[in-house]
Amino acid sequence: MPKRLLQGVVVSDKQDKTVVVRVERRFTHPLLKKTVRRSKKYHAHDEGNVWKEGDTVWIEEHRPLSKLKNWIVVQGEKRAEV
């Protein structure tokens, strides 16, 4: 079975070798027929402490690395510096 890939935005990089990624999904509400946005946070492994807050990253399912970390960052793009 292929591993899941999710795209999200880094919301925290305070931990060592770990980033918290917010993944947003959009769906149509079954009763209201209105587009709804829901988000969920995932802890992902970042070996080189490369990614910072605001960066867009792709995370991939992985074996458990700790109590909360079951994902690793596979690629991403830096947020443009202002």
Side-chain angles (χ1 to χ4, degrees), residues 1-72:
M1 189 161 82
K3 295 180 180 179
R4 288 187 294 167
L5 275 173
L6 299 175
Q7 182 183 21
V9 178
V10 176
V11 292
S12 174
D13 62 340
K14 289 179 172 55
Q15 302 173 69
D16 186 33
K17 296 185 180 181
T18 302
V19 291
V20 179
V21 180
R22 185 182 68 233
V23 175
E24 189 174 275
R25 65 187 183 95
R26 297 171 67 164
F27 63 95
T28 304
H29 191 280
L31 185 62
L32 302 177
K33 307 299 186 218
K34 190 173 180 181
T35 302
V36 183
R37 292 171 14 173
R38 290 282 182 258
S39 63
K40 188 172 178 180
K41 293 180 184 175
Y42 295 93
H43 287 71
H45 186 66
D46 173 20
E47 182 64 38
N49 289 321
V50 177
W51 307 107
K52 303 296 177 201
E53 280 188 45
D55 295 342
T56 302
V57 295
W58 285 91
I59 57 176
E60 181 181 58
E61 262 184 324
H62 198 265
R63 65 177 174 80
L65 298 167
S66 69
K67 180 181 176 182
L68 297 175
K69 284 200 299 188
N70 295 317
W71 297 82
I72 56 170

